[in-house]
């Protein structure tokens, strides 16, 4: 049992803590949301229990853990801030103003920078994750309503899922950001309503869940082109790739199921009910 209206979830690099964002704990536009911390250390006496509840900003959505494991960033969609959590103390230590409605957040592999999508601005904010300061310059995007974001394992490019208007007449767009220049350098057409995004462990492929069309787009990172569109279910939201690059897992909110994609063949391997509603 955590909080209400759980959205984002992230696991620390050591695999000992799980952080769950409770969007619904913000019962109105003034009440703070929370992040539940679950003990996932298999050697712990408190394994699989909530060991802390951290107060953050209003209507929190997504959480990301710095690769150094020391901090977590949480996007607060009301108030235009990112909460900084000290993972050693399980306390919020700062709120960083990002100048727009933050949704997605991703760190570079070296943990020195973080990128935050600003859904209402068609822009991405850049945070110095060492100093916990926000750059005065944001990255302009060609498309609108950016939500999901991921940085490739080399730290050279970030990929942004631009949901757009989310109607059946509009092609979705993935923006490619050069992290050395902090600028959009390419746009990739995908299916309708892109929202979740992940990369393969070697960075050669990018996988995008398209909420409206019920598909996952497979992007060749070398050519910045979509090479496959896979039907996975109703309302796919998040997507993650296992550490071996063998399978991708997609939560289909509309069908309360999890789809499994075989990445060697780009084919749907299985789908099973999640046991919950609207994962």
């Amino acid at each position: 049992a955590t909080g209400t209206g759980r959205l984002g979830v992230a696991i620390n690099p050591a695999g000992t803590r799980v952080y769950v964002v409770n969007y619904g704990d913000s019962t109105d536009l003034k009440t703070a949301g929370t992040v539940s911390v679950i003990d996932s250390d298999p050697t712990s006496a408190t394994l699989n229990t909530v060991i802390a509840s951290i107060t953050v900003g209003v209507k929190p959505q997504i959480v990301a853990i710095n690769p150094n494991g020391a901090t977590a960033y949480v996007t607060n969609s009301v108030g235009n801030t990112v909460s900084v959590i000290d993972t050693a103390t399980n306390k919020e230590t700062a709120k960083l103003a990002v100048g727009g409605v933050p949704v997605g957040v991703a760190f570079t592999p070296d943990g020195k920078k973080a990128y935050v999508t600003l859904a209402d601005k068609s822009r991405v904010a850049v945070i110095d994750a060492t100093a916990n300061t926000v750059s005065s310059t944001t990255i302009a995007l060609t498309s609108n309503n950016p939500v999901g974001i991921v940085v490739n394992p080399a730290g050279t490019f970030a990929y942004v899922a631009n949901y757009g208007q989310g109607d059946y007449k509009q092609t979705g767009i993935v923006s490619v950001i050069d992290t050395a220049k902090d600028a959009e350098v390419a746009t990739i057409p995908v299916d309708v309503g892109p929202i979740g995004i992940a990369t393969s462990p070697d960075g050669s492929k990018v996988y995008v869940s398209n909420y409206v069309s019920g598909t996952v787009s497979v992007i060749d990172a070398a050519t910045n082109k979509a090479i496959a569109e896979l039907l996975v279910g109703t309302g796919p939201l998040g997507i993650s790739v296992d550490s071996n690059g063998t399978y991708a897992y997609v939560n289909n909110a509309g069908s309360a199921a999890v789809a499994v994609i075989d990445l060697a063949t780009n084919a749907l391997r299985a789908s099973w009910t999640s046991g919950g509603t609207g994962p």
Side-chain angles (χ1 to χ4, degrees):
T2 54
T4 303
R6 297 152 300 281
L7 282 182
V9 59
I11 303 170
N12 70 347
T16 56
R17 296 289 184 269
V18 180
Y19 299 82
V20 181
V21 179
N22 303 305
Y23 178 90
D25 280 1
S26 290
T27 53
D28 54 40
L29 298 183
K30 295 181 180 179
T31 304
T34 65
V35 172
S36 298
V37 184
I38 298 171
D39 185 347
S40 56
D41 182 350
T43 65
S44 173
T46 56
L47 175 65
N48 291 336
T49 62
V50 174
I51 58 173
S53 180
I54 306 167
T55 300
V56 288
V58 181
K59 300 292 184 183
Q61 295 210 26
I62 303 298
V63 57
I65 314 298
N66 192 306
N68 65 21
T71 56
Y73 281 179
V74 180
T75 55
N76 303 307
S77 57
V78 174
N80 299 352
T81 63
V82 170
S83 290
V84 181
I85 293 173
D86 182 330
T87 58
T89 62
N90 287 328
K91 302 288 185 184
E92 181 194 62
T93 58
K95 283 188 177 73
L96 309 179
V98 291
V101 176
V103 178
V105 55
F107 285 93
T108 54
D110 62 8
K112 293 181 179 180
K113 287 201 294 187
Y115 294 91
V116 179
T117 57
L118 305 179
D120 63 327
K121 301 292 186 184
S122 296
R123 288 180 174 271
V124 171
V126 184
I127 297 175
D128 180 332
T130 302
N132 288 325
T133 56
V134 182
S135 172
S136 59
T137 303
T138 55
I139 302 169
L141 304 177
T142 302
S143 192
N144 60 331
N145 204 356
V147 281
I149 185 167
V150 68
V151 179
N152 70 351
T156 50
F157 295 102
Y159 300 88
V160 181
N162 297 290
Y163 188 81
Q165 300 303 317
D167 59 43
Y168 284 91
K169 299 178 182 178
Q170 184 182 55
T171 300
I173 294 292
V174 169
S175 295
V176 183
I177 293 172
D178 184 324
T179 58
K181 301 175 181 177
D182 279 343
E184 182 187 68
V185 293
T187 57
I188 306 167
V190 290
D191 228 331
V192 186
I195 191 165
I197 193 162
T199 68
S200 59
D202 63 3
S204 65
K205 300 289 189 298
V206 180
Y207 301 92
V208 186
S209 58
N210 303 300
Y211 182 81
V212 177
S213 57
T215 61
V216 166
S217 299
V218 182
I219 294 170
D220 184 330
T223 62
N224 284 333
K225 294 184 183 300
I227 57 175
E229 304 281 359
L230 316 175
L231 283 169
V232 292
T234 306
L237 284 176
I239 182 169
S240 62
V241 176
D242 70 8
S243 57
N244 297 319
T246 307
Y247 299 111
Y249 298 86
V250 185
N251 55 307
N252 294 312
S255 53
V258 176
V260 185
I261 299 171
D262 185 327
L263 300 183
T265 60
N266 285 335
L268 184 66
R269 182 182 177 92
S271 182
W272 74 87
T273 57
S274 66
T277 303

